[in-house]
Amino acid sequence: RTFARGYRDCRVAIHKVLLDSHRPGLLSVERSFMCTNRETGLSGMDDDWALGEVVDVGGDAAGSGNLSLRYCRVYFDVESSCQERNKSTGAKFGWDMPNVVNV
C-alpha cells in the first residue's frame, strides 16, 4: 500500500522461480520490475531477485491450505533504479507484517 503511493504503472515479468526441495516454503524469483516514480516521473526497469518464504496459516475442512507470505526481501541495484532507496526498502516490502521473521 505504501509503495503504491510513490509509484504507478507497475508491472512484473517473472523469468524464473526456484523452490527449495528440502524446505518447500522457501523460494526465490528472478524478475524484471517496471514502474514510474510518481514524484520524479522517472520510469525504469529493475532486474532483481525476490527471496521469500510462504507458510500455511490454516486451511478449511476440505484440506485447502491458506498460504501467506511470511518473509520477503528484494535485491536490486539502487544506483540504476527509478525506485528511491528510502521508499523501497524495509517495511515497504512487508517485513513489518505480523508473523514475519527476518532470517
Side-chain angles (χ1 to χ4, degrees), residues 72-90:
C72 180
R73 185 84 185 232
V74 178
Y75 294 91
F76 61 92
D77 183 355
V78 296
E79 299 302 320
S80 65
S81 176
C82 68
Q83 299 179 62
E84 295 176 46
R85 181 185 294 216
N86 64 335
K87 293 181 180 177
S88 302
T89 59

Side-chain angles (χ1 to χ4, degrees), residues 53-65:
E53 180 182 19
V54 293
V55 293
D56 189 345
V57 293
D60 59 23
S64 296

Side-chain angles (χ1 to χ4, degrees), residues 6 13 18 26-27 33-35 37 39 54 61 68 71-72 74 80 82 84 86 89 92 95 99 102:
L18 301 174
L26 299 180
L27 60 102
F33 178 82
M34 297 139 285
C35 67
N37 184 312
E39 205 171 288
V54 293
S68 178
Y71 174 83
C72 180
V74 178
S80 65
C82 68
E84 295 176 46
N86 64 335
T89 59
K92 308 302 188 269
W95 51 87
N99 305 316
N102 280 320

